Amino acid sequence: MSAAPDLIIVGAGIVGAACAMECARGGLRTLVLDRGPVGGGTTAAGMGHVVVMDDSEAQFALTNFSRRLWHELRPQLPADVEFEACGTLWVAANAEEMAEVHRKQKFYEQRGVRVEVLDAADVAKAEPNLRPGMAGGLCVVDDAVVYPPCAARFFLEQAKKSGAEIRTGVVVKNLLPEGGVQLADGSRIAAGRSVNATGPWSPELTPGLPVRKRKGHLVITDRAPGFVRHQIIELGYLKSAHSLGQDSVAFNIQPRVTGQMLIGSSRQFDADDSAVNQPILDRMLRRAIEYLPDLGKLSAIRTWTGHRAATPDKLPLIGPSAASDRIWLATGHEGLGITTSLGTGRLLADLLLGRQAEISAARYAPVRFENGGSHHE
């Protein structure tokens, strides 16, 4: 890149990669820097669920928009991205959770999202390995799963085709208020603007950012093709997801194209280490086996942890920082970074290029946290 870049994106995870793809396509001279390999941090530790969520109108808008972008990109995705529109099955264990099924059904249908309500017999037919006696469930038909590290690599390949440059093994020390970055060796790279897309590590580059690390565990099994057919999540997951303080687990399982099963999920705040927490892992697996009794017959071949970037209102930070309009943010996606990577990239490019955005970006603006404020919708 001969001229100084218009934009330096720090972070080559899936969010940074999607931002690079959209910004480079929009004509911005884009440089991506990362201290590790492409997609080696949070992206490599995620489940790869492309899901429309309904916690708030703002969360729905971004996840729905992003899922649509995934489906539009689908014909171009290489096989190793493993895009599979298996749908999400939210399972209800009792009448109270069936009431939540009907609430979700109404919410989604009013907004044009395809869903199907399943009764007890339907659930047993759709997922025979679930324990008997489920009350029913809701299938969100067009949800999908992907393999995130390969998706991040593909996005960066697309960015390169539009002229972007990617440098890995580069440690950024500071984002400069006048634009550009300072590297760990003291050298500087000038640019019109910089973007902090470093997820859970973003407060290191933007001090005071309201982003906390949330640690999660995942387990992958050996091959058992067809053991589950959908991404299955217990409706109790929503209760655990709303817990901002305490450690929690919930049943969440994903079929991989390889025939393996990826099992989640756990949440721990302010656990900075990457070590497996055996009591949390045991709780998570016990919860999964409560729903899928035969899961205990499969062999776990790998267990790992990762950190997600959580914000107080469960919405990401997309746009100029409060500190400087030369320093921009694309972080705080917590467990929805895979889904919302494409929507984030499109929104960021729209804002930087002064284009009309398809959804309102104001709800994700970092300025909402100025003066200790919080935004809820």
Side-chain angles (χ1 to χ4, degrees):
M1 191 173 289
S2 51
D6 298 312
L7 194 66
I8 295 176
I9 296 172
V10 186
I14 198 164
V15 169
C19 290
M21 177 174 72
E22 290 286 351
C23 291
R25 281 178 173 174
L28 294 172
R29 292 190 305 275
T30 303
L31 170 63
V32 180
L33 303 175
D34 198 296
R35 63 189 178 191
V38 169
T42 296
T43 298
M47 273 192 113
H49 193 190
V50 177
V51 55
V52 175
M53 295 291 283
D54 63 343
D55 272 7
S56 65
E57 289 290 355
Q59 189 187 73
F60 171 79
L62 187 59
T63 54
N64 189 49
F65 174 52
S66 299
R67 191 186 70 174
R68 197 196 83 213
L69 295 177
W70 273 105
H71 279 278
E72 287 174 5
L73 197 60
R74 183 181 185 178
Q76 299 172 47
L77 295 174
D80 65 5
V81 175
E82 298 179 6
F83 185 102
E84 187 174 12
C86 59
T88 301
L89 179 59
W90 294 91
V91 288
N94 51 43
E96 180 191 0
E97 290 182 0
M98 272 310 286
E100 176 64 8
V101 162
H102 292 294
R103 186 203 64 77
K104 286 173 82 71
Q105 174 198 18
K106 184 178 176 185
F107 182 97
Y108 285 133
E109 286 182 343
Q110 286 174 345
R111 291 159 182 80
V113 174
R114 286 203 303 161
V115 293
E116 296 171 2
V117 173
L118 282 64
D119 64 16
D122 294 331
V123 166
K125 188 176 175 185
E127 293 290 352
N129 283 312
L130 280 170
R131 74 168 185 256
M134 285 291 162
L138 183 78
C139 182
V140 186
V141 181
D142 298 312
D143 284 354
V145 297
V146 297
Y147 184 55
C150 289
R153 195 205 64 229
F154 171 74
F155 295 168
L156 287 175
E157 285 170 358
Q158 299 305 300
K160 278 197 218 172
K161 287 179 182 175
S162 298
E165 183 183 344
I166 289 89
R167 297 187 205 164
T168 54
V170 177
V171 178
V172 174
K173 188 80 174 169
N174 292 304
L175 306 181
L176 303 173
E178 66 272 21
V181 301
Q182 180 183 26
L183 304 183
D185 64 7
S187 63
R188 295 182 173 215
I189 305 174
R193 291 186 174 94
S194 59
V195 178
N196 183 348
T198 58
W201 301 277
S202 51
E204 294 175 19
L205 288 179
T206 308
L209 214 55
V211 170
R212 290 170 70 194
K213 286 183 179 177
R214 179 180 67 72
K215 182 177 175 180
H217 288 67
L218 288 174
V219 173
I220 196 158
T221 71
D222 57 5
R223 286 173 168 76
F227 183 81
V228 301
R229 301 162 185 173
H230 303 79
Q231 172 110 18
I232 311 175
I233 312 177
E234 64 163 299
L235 275 159
Y237 173 91
L238 299 170
K239 293 173 196 164
S240 81
H242 283 137
S243 167
L244 289 175
Q246 65 221 48
D247 296 350
S248 60
V249 301
F251 165 58
N252 187 354
I253 192 167
Q254 178 182 106
R256 302 298 319 168
V257 169
T258 57
Q260 296 167 290
M261 302 296 129
L262 189 57
I263 306 164
S265 63
S266 69
R267 279 178 162 75
Q268 290 174 277
F269 278 104
D270 304 320
D272 285 352
D273 66 290
S274 58
V276 170
N277 180 311
Q278 199 62 46
I280 287 277
L281 180 66
D282 290 346
R283 273 175 61 193
M284 185 182 92
L285 291 174
R286 278 199 303 272
R287 188 69 177 165
I289 290 168
E290 282 176 30
Y291 281 83
L292 291 164
D294 286 345
L295 190 61
K297 297 176 183 174
L298 303 186
S299 296
I301 59 170
R302 190 161 79 89
T303 299
W304 68 96
T305 68
H307 288 92
R308 283 75 166 139
T311 63
D313 63 2
K314 303 178 71 62
L315 296 174
L317 303 161
I318 306 169
S321 71
S324 166
D325 66 358
R326 296 295 189 96
I327 298 173
W328 286 52
L329 302 171
T331 184
H333 296 77
E334 200 179 339
L336 292 169
I338 310 303
T339 294
T340 57
S341 56
L342 289 175
T344 297
R346 181 70 57 87
L347 272 184
L348 190 85
D350 288 342
L351 290 166
L352 285 164
L353 293 163
R355 302 186 305 211
Q356 179 67 42
E358 285 188 56
I359 64 170
S360 168
R363 296 170 285 196
Y364 319 107
V367 73
R368 72 187 188 269
F369 288 112
E370 270 194 310
N371 304 318
S374 178
H375 166 101
H376 290 279
E377 182 155 342

